[in-house]
Amino acid sequence: MTRWLRVVARRPGWVLLAVAALTAVTLPGLVDLRTGALRLVINPTADSLLPSGGGEGELYERSRLQFGSDDTVVIALGAEDVFTADVLGAVVRLSERLSRVDGVYNVVSLSTALNVRSVDGDIQVAPFVEVAPRETQDLEFVRSQTLANPIYAGTLVARDSRTTALLVQLERMSGRERAERGIVDEIARIAREETRGLELWISGAPYVSTLLSRQILSELAVILPTVVGLLALVLLLGFRTVRGVALPLATIGLAELWTLGGLGLLGRELNLVATVVPPLILTIGFSYAMHVVSEYYALVRADDQASRTPRQVVEHTLGEVGVPVLVTGLTTAAGFLALTVSPIVAIQEFAWFSLLGVMATVLASLTFTPAVLAVLPLPTKLPGRDPGRVLDRLAERLGRFATGRRALVIAGGCIALGIALVGMSRIRVASDLVTNFPADSPVRHGAEAINRRLGGATEVQVLVESDVPGAFLEPANLRQLEALQVWLREQPEVGEATSLVDYVKMLHRALRDDAPEAFVLPQRKSLVTQLFFFGASPETARLVDARHQFAKVHVRARSLSSGEIGALAGRIEARLEELPRHLRGHVTGGSVLLGRSVDELARGQWTSLLVAFGAIYLVLAGLFTSFRMGLRALFPNFLPIAVYFGTLGLTGVTLNPWTSLVGCLALGIAVDDTIHYFARFNADAKRLGDERRATISALRGLIRPVTFTTVGLCAGFLVLVVSQLRSQAEFGVLASFTLAVAWVTDVTLTPALCAGARIVTLWDLLALDLGRDPQQSIPLFAGLGERQARIFALMSRIQEVPAGTALFREGDKGNEMYVILDGTLRTSLEREQGRLELARLSRGDTFGEIGLFSAQRTADVEALTDARVIAFDPDDLERLRRRYPRIAARVFLNLNRLQAERLVRTTARVR
């Protein structure tokens, strides 16, 4: 990694050439180079919100194949009385024009729906209205026939005669194809032209999806520039230089282009959830680029940089932040990767798209940004110090508070966690596309009007099947279906429920000259078979299959919430369990699957978070070479996520496909600052030799970039508040809130947890030079592995001792013991007859052990050549015992053996 980063600093021209090549490859995936048209495609359908695979999806598809697609646009017309010549004329004209629209395969209305009645002793199956009547008695006849029809009364016509509906059923096609062909727009245009003077409401899944897609695209055109503008403002406040503003913006722009262009080249679309990916990439990329540029300016400002070249400064910059940026990219990626276990396709795609975006932002931040800085001359204008001094004072106070009130800070974090756990127990799970729109939007207004005036805007399908052909020609089975239908109509969410039973009753009534008392199920199978023979029509094909063993009860529900639909589906399933064994019942439909997918989302949310925490914990434990330190580093990032979910429960905001993203997203981003802090703390602890001072020093060094990146991230997400879609606005507010909580924990709880700790990082472990085979050439390390020997050295202190330097003198105070890595040292005593040399020490020898106990030196030790030694004291040994007990046990054993051997030699000399 270090060698690769050096290439970036030393060969910036080649790096920029590679960046330009990658940009040229991905650009055609985002923009059509011939026309300049944007190739970013949004899939507006809710299909991606449904669970992937499984029996429920197969059942839904089977129902659509058998009984027709439920992709229906509902057009409702309102008047004081719809049974007038003008309204019925509008219905006839509208039905004719809509049936000719390319992509529409059927229109169900008063002019197309078939009515069953008796005419001169025969059964007649014909539309209610073929030509709009003018005479009052004809209009009243249509009214009486329609309101007496149990299939269409309440669904096509309101029982108060003030509303009528047209159900425009679309051919099966993808949402993208439907949008490109403009089918829904054409339906809406025709409806408005033919219904002037009437109240008009439009609803249905295709209509909602189309307007949702259009709303998202229009908002992205506003949100993305606004996010860029806010990030530019934050950069201007932070750096106050053209370079400090332009370079990070160019970096995140490249990352955005690479990601979206890559998706375009792969032919992928942005689903309803993945539409937050573009602003997400901007905010994440801003964080990475901010850390690189901030470290660059810090090095340029340092006094010892005057003689350095731009490439040397960039190389040093990458040495400080390159590995932390890469590791933070890995942890952010882990947060998104955890979402791939979600059962919802939309969230899976969001996770993979975001993962690609994270890779692009890390790549751009570690290639383009440093390469440009290496090409440019060192800046003469540096960021102003005034804001820095304010933040320095804040860091000083926070650091002293965190170290001086360490127990109080940690206790406060635990109390916040407890409150959050209480809130988490109250989380509600629900989602709905219609209530996602503002209350005054045409989409929501139309759905709510249809719910009030007709049977309901939400469709639920109850399927009942048997293995026996002709099962639903048996009166006993029809009575089971009838009882189920009666129970369904009693449910508070249900507006209407129709089935094959209604059609059979109408045929039976028509056979008996429309006698009201004949509106019952026949008692004999032969009569039912006869009725179907004479009265079969396209209506029956939408209620039962040709073999009469697979029937559908069509339910219209007034609820718009997936939670309420899910509860209704649960009760229906419990009722279906009461059917005889030879009948099997199922509940399906797009609204039902959406509700179930949200339920699955709740279960998958905890799985995703466990995977994310597990992956990030393994990264942190590996990074800090200790499972205990991994937990210590994880806790400041676990707390904001717990607070987030607790806030959901306490505020009543539902857990839905959008708000479910915040947990893993915030975890992946928030852990970045923790890693940067621990890395800086580790470096300062080694430099200062005091963990408490290092706690404050690290906070002072990082508070500026951490604060400005948090402000930028929060500002970027808060832009989503301008969205008219509730889900987008909630996502933005909650993400910003959670990241703000993460900042508070990073400047209080993280320093408190670091105080008094000694950290061993993976890159320190890999870079440390203990010479060849230290476990064999150094007796203190006997029985240890090379990695364990490196950990011991890093838990202690490595000192450089120039030749001629006295490490300590006889009588000095000190409690360190030493082991020699390189060079030669001499122990001696100054006496009246001159200096008395006691021993010459080289690699592997230990000395100073008396200082561990008496704290007073008994001889002089000086370096005869340049030397390196490991120094450790009782505190270091105690930390080693707590953190790495196995290593400590072996070191203590070796120390005892060395002391015993030294005692034997001393005793032998005395004798």
Side-chain angles (χ1 to χ4, degrees):
M1 179 65 185
T2 303
R3 287 195 296 270
W4 183 77
L5 292 175
R6 285 174 183 163
V7 171
V8 174
R10 296 176 183 179
R11 298 288 186 272
W14 288 104
V15 172
L16 291 176
L17 185 62
V19 168
L22 180 58
T23 303
V25 169
T26 54
L27 182 60
L30 180 62
V31 178
D32 189 327
L33 299 181
R34 292 174 299 175
T35 64
L38 189 67
R39 285 184 168 174
L40 180 66
V41 176
I42 293 179
N43 179 1
T45 67
D47 293 347
S48 60
L49 296 178
L50 304 181
S52 58
E56 291 187 351
E58 294 174 359
L59 177 67
Y60 179 50
E61 188 63 23
R62 179 185 169 199
S63 174
R64 285 157 61 97
L65 288 172
Q66 178 63 53
F67 302 115
S69 171
D70 56 354
D71 290 336
T72 302
V73 178
V74 182
I75 299 174
L77 310 180
E80 285 299 318
D81 185 359
V82 297
F83 293 104
T84 63
D86 290 340
V87 175
L88 294 180
V91 170
V92 172
R93 294 191 304 273
L94 191 53
S95 300
E96 291 175 351
R97 290 188 63 182
L98 291 176
S99 64
R100 294 195 297 268
V101 174
D102 183 27
V104 173
Y105 87 88
N106 188 41
V107 178
V108 181
S109 70
L110 288 177
S111 71
T112 62
L114 301 179
N115 183 35
V116 179
R117 64 190 183 96
S118 175
V119 178
D120 298 329
D122 293 328
I123 296 177
Q124 183 187 73
V125 181
F128 291 97
V129 178
E130 295 184 84
V131 177
R134 294 285 176 181
E135 301 298 328
T136 301
Q137 63 270 23
D138 294 332
L139 292 171
E140 289 302 316
F141 177 77
V142 173
R143 184 198 306 273
S144 63
Q145 288 292 306
T146 303
L147 296 181
N149 188 298
I151 295 179
Y152 297 118
T155 54
L156 277 188
V157 177
R159 298 185 187 278
D160 63 2
S161 301
R162 298 181 60 190
T163 311
T164 185
L166 295 89
L167 308 179
V168 186
Q169 298 170 326
L170 307 183
E171 296 175 358
R172 297 187 63 184
M173 66 185 73
S174 68
R176 179 176 182 176
E177 181 183 358
R178 186 187 303 142
E180 290 174 347
R181 293 168 64 176
I183 297 172
V184 174
D185 290 333
E186 178 68 6
I187 291 172
R189 183 186 66 80
I190 293 172
R192 285 189 290 269
E193 289 178 357
E194 294 292 347
T195 58
R196 292 188 177 94
L198 299 174
E199 292 184 278
L200 172 67
W201 303 283
I202 305 177
S203 188
Y207 179 73
V208 173
S209 297
T210 298
L211 266 64
L212 186 60
S213 173
R214 186 169 301 144
Q215 182 73 27
I216 290 172
L217 276 175
S218 65
E219 289 182 354
L220 279 179
V222 175
I223 288 172
L224 291 180
T226 306
V227 170
V228 172
L230 285 174
L231 295 180
L233 179 61
V234 173
L235 290 167
L236 184 62
L237 293 173
F239 295 121
R240 303 187 190 182
T241 66
V242 174
R243 184 180 309 189
V245 175
L247 192 52
L249 291 182
T251 302
I252 60 179
L254 278 176
E256 189 83 75
L257 189 155
W258 294 347
T259 304
L260 299 182
L263 294 177
L265 292 176
L266 295 173
R268 304 308 298 267
E269 304 171 338
L270 293 182
N271 59 59
L272 295 179
V273 176
T275 52
V276 301
V277 168
L280 179 67
I281 294 170
L282 293 179
T283 51
I284 293 177
F286 165 80
S287 174
Y288 297 150
M290 180 81 174
H291 276 288
V292 174
V293 175
S294 179
E295 185 66 27
Y296 169 81
Y297 274 124
L299 290 174
V300 171
R301 180 183 282 115
D303 295 335
D304 60 349
Q305 301 301 316
S307 61
R308 292 198 178 187
T309 65
R311 296 187 181 186
Q312 289 173 328
V313 174
V314 169
E315 185 173 343
H316 193 178
T317 299
L318 291 175
E320 292 292 328
V321 301
V323 174
V325 166
L326 178 63
V327 174
T328 55
L330 291 175
T331 55
T332 303
F336 289 124
L337 196 61
L339 291 171
T340 60
V341 303
S342 171
I344 300 178
V345 175
I347 294 180
Q348 295 173 15
E349 292 181 344
F350 166 82
W352 289 115
F353 297 168
S354 300
L355 192 62
L356 178 61
V358 170
M359 294 168 58
T361 55
V362 171
L363 182 62
S365 299
L366 294 181
T367 56
F368 174 75
T369 305
V372 172
L373 290 173
V375 170
L376 296 174
L378 292 176
T380 56
K381 181 181 179 182
L382 299 176
R385 288 180 174 271
D386 288 342
R389 286 203 294 268
V390 172
L391 292 175
D392 282 346
R393 289 194 294 270
L394 177 61
E396 186 80 21
R397 292 174 181 174
L398 289 173
R400 293 190 183 281
F401 175 76
T403 55
R405 299 287 189 272
R406 185 166 179 263
L408 179 63
V409 172
I410 295 175
C414 293
I415 292 172
L417 178 60
I419 296 173
L421 292 175
V422 173
M424 289 168 65
S425 65
R426 303 179 182 179
I427 290 178
R428 293 187 302 109
V429 181
S431 178
D432 184 69
L433 298 183
V434 173
T435 56
N436 198 14
F437 287 87
D440 59 349
S441 68
V443 173
R444 190 162 173 179
H445 186 54
E448 291 174 347
I450 292 171
N451 274 344
R452 287 194 313 271
R453 291 171 169 259
L454 294 168
T458 303
E459 180 177 339
V460 176
Q461 300 173 24
V462 180
L463 308 176
V464 182
E465 63 179 326
S466 171
D467 294 329
V468 180
F472 290 105
L473 296 176
E474 294 284 354
N477 291 333
L478 290 175
R479 282 192 288 273
Q480 290 290 338
L481 207 61
E482 181 183 35
L484 173 62
Q485 191 174 334
V486 170
W487 180 88
L488 286 168
R489 287 171 175 165
E490 294 172 350
Q491 304 310 300
E493 302 92 342
V494 174
E496 296 291 340
T498 57
S499 74
L500 176 66
V501 169
D502 299 306
Y503 198 77
V504 172
K505 288 180 178 180
M506 287 193 300
L507 288 172
H508 190 236
R509 182 177 61 183
L511 185 65
R512 300 294 177 89
D513 294 327
D514 287 339
E517 63 275 10
F519 189 72
V520 294
L521 286 171
Q523 297 296 317
R524 303 188 313 275
K525 179 180 179 180
S526 58
L527 181 54
V528 175
T529 305
Q530 182 182 4
L531 291 175
F532 272 110
F533 179 78
F534 288 107
S537 73
E539 303 295 320
T540 59
R542 289 193 284 269
L543 298 171
V544 69
D545 70 330
R547 302 179 68 186
H548 297 90
Q549 65 182 100
F550 189 36
K552 180 180 79 168
V553 181
H554 190 264
V555 178
R556 285 282 175 183
R558 297 189 178 96
S559 176
L560 298 177
S561 167
S562 65
E564 294 177 359
I565 294 297
L568 173 63
R571 295 201 306 275
I572 295 175
E573 287 181 333
R575 173 62 178 80
L576 293 174
E577 292 293 326
E578 300 175 11
L579 292 173
R581 290 186 178 181
H582 64 279
L583 297 178
R584 299 186 303 276
H586 315 279
V587 185
T588 188
S591 61
V592 173
L593 263 64
L594 178 60
R596 287 177 175 167
S597 71
V598 174
D599 290 339
E600 288 291 328
L601 171 67
R603 290 188 287 270
Q605 176 75 158
W606 310 123
T607 303
S608 298
L609 284 171
L610 285 175
V611 171
F613 278 117
I616 290 175
Y617 170 66
L618 291 177
V619 171
L620 293 174
L623 182 65
F624 300 124
T625 67
S626 167
F627 291 110
R628 182 176 297 180
M629 285 306 300
L631 284 174
R632 186 176 291 197
L634 187 64
F635 182 63
N637 300 286
F638 173 76
L639 181 59
I641 309 308
V643 169
Y644 161 68
F645 282 106
T647 302
L648 286 185
L650 294 174
T651 60
V653 177
T654 62
L655 182 65
N656 57 56
W658 289 270
T659 57
S660 70
L661 305 177
V662 175
C664 290
L665 163 68
L667 175 61
I669 295 176
V671 77
D672 295 357
D673 291 338
T674 302
I675 290 175
H676 281 290
Y677 181 86
F678 272 73
R680 178 63 65 94
F681 168 80
N682 175 61
D684 289 353
K686 290 189 295 184
R687 176 174 57 85
L688 298 172
D690 185 326
E691 284 78 14
R692 290 186 176 271
R693 288 174 59 199
T695 301
I696 299 173
S697 173
L699 188 57
R700 189 187 302 116
L702 278 178
I703 195 167
R704 183 185 184 92
V706 166
T707 300
F708 279 109
T709 54
T710 300
V711 170
L713 288 167
C714 291
F717 285 121
L718 278 176
V719 171
L720 295 174
V721 174
V722 305
S723 174
Q724 293 294 306
L725 302 175
R726 191 189 66 214
S727 60
Q728 302 270 49
E730 287 179 348
F731 174 83
V733 171
L734 291 168
S736 300
F737 166 75
T738 308
L739 291 174
V741 173
W743 178 86
V744 173
T745 60
D746 275 331
V747 298
T748 55
L749 186 59
T750 301
L753 290 171
C754 273
R758 178 64 61 85
I759 297 173
V760 176
T761 65
L762 181 62
W763 53 83
D764 286 333
L765 200 62
L766 296 175
L768 182 63
D769 178 20
L770 294 183
R772 186 174 181 179
D773 299 327
Q775 69 276 22
Q776 298 178 11
S777 56
I778 300 176
L780 183 64
F781 297 155
L784 297 176
E786 185 173 355
R787 173 182 170 276
Q788 293 174 315
R790 291 170 183 262
I791 288 175
F792 173 82
L794 291 169
M795 291 292 290
S796 307
R797 293 168 299 283
I798 297 180
Q799 295 180 219
E800 303 281 346
V801 187
T805 302
L807 200 57
F808 54 77
R809 297 290 184 185
E810 181 183 9
D812 287 350
K813 298 293 185 181
N815 62 350
E816 294 93 353
M817 182 177 174
Y818 302 87
V819 58
I820 300 174
L821 294 176
D822 302 303
T824 302
L825 291 88
R826 179 181 67 181
T827 62
S828 61
L829 294 171
E830 185 67 35
R831 295 295 180 257
E832 293 181 1
Q833 62 271 29
R835 180 161 295 278
L836 175 63
E837 182 174 310
L838 300 177
R840 293 204 173 195
L841 308 174
S842 59
R843 176 173 172 80
D845 289 331
T846 58
F847 61 93
E849 62 276 6
I850 294 178
L852 282 174
F853 307 103
S854 69
Q856 185 169 346
R857 303 301 183 184
T858 58
D860 300 343
V861 177
E862 60 183 347
L864 299 179
T865 64
D866 289 343
R868 284 191 310 144
V869 298
I870 299 175
F872 56 93
D873 58 27
D875 290 339
D876 296 326
L877 293 176
E878 177 60 20
R879 273 194 296 267
L880 184 71
R881 184 191 66 79
R882 291 197 307 267
R883 291 267 303 279
Y884 304 97
R886 292 188 179 183
I887 298 176
R890 175 58 63 176
V891 169
F892 292 153
L893 177 63
N894 291 338
L895 277 173
N896 288 335
R897 189 181 64 250
L898 290 172
Q899 297 308 309
E901 291 173 354
R902 186 164 297 177
L903 180 60
V904 169
R905 290 195 299 269
T906 302
T907 303
R909 284 200 300 269
V910 171
R911 289 179 180 175

